[in-house]
Amino acid sequence: MSTDPKRYEILLVPAHVEDRGGASVADSAVRSAVVERTGRYGESGYPRYEGHGVVADVDPETRTVEALLVDGRELDYGLVALVRDVPAA
């Protein structure tokens, strides 16, 4: 049985924003999606999460997005994918 989190929220945030003017990372995101663990592993070797048009391979130890597709496409330049925990339902 896996101990990897069952879900995360993926936040897509502009990389060039240095000063958010007091706004939280979530408020600065141009898109967010709650993704659920699929039980499969991606090409990166990390657990795959999917939801709301986002497919992500996430390293649960470092909470790093190792691979990402948004609506079937690679992430646009200038955006960074961040991971946030989602409380258990």
Side-chain angles (χ1 to χ4, degrees), residues 13-25 28 78 80:
V13 180
H16 67 277
V17 177
E18 292 181 19
D19 178 12
R20 292 181 166 73
S24 70
V25 172
S28 300
V80 175

Side-chain angles (χ1 to χ4, degrees), residues 18-38:
E18 292 181 19
D19 178 12
R20 292 181 166 73
S24 70
V25 172
D27 289 338
S28 300
V30 296
R31 183 167 175 178
S32 68
V34 174
V35 293
E36 305 252 346
R37 191 171 184 334
T38 65

Side-chain angles (χ1 to χ4, degrees), residues 58-79:
V58 179
D59 178 347
E61 268 189 51
T62 64
R63 299 167 43 93
T64 301
V65 177
E66 297 292 341
L68 180 74
L69 292 176
V70 178
D71 298 330
R73 303 176 120 181
E74 292 183 7
L75 190 62
D76 289 337
Y77 288 108
L79 292 176

Side-chain angles (χ1 to χ4, degrees), residues 2-5 8 36-50 55-61 64 66-67:
S2 173
T3 59
D4 299 332
Y8 286 116
E36 305 252 346
R37 191 171 184 334
T38 65
R40 298 186 314 268
Y41 288 83
E43 293 294 319
S44 67
Y46 291 100
R48 171 139 310 161
Y49 292 79
E50 295 182 8
V55 178
D57 296 358
V58 179
D59 178 347
E61 268 189 51
T64 301
E66 297 292 341

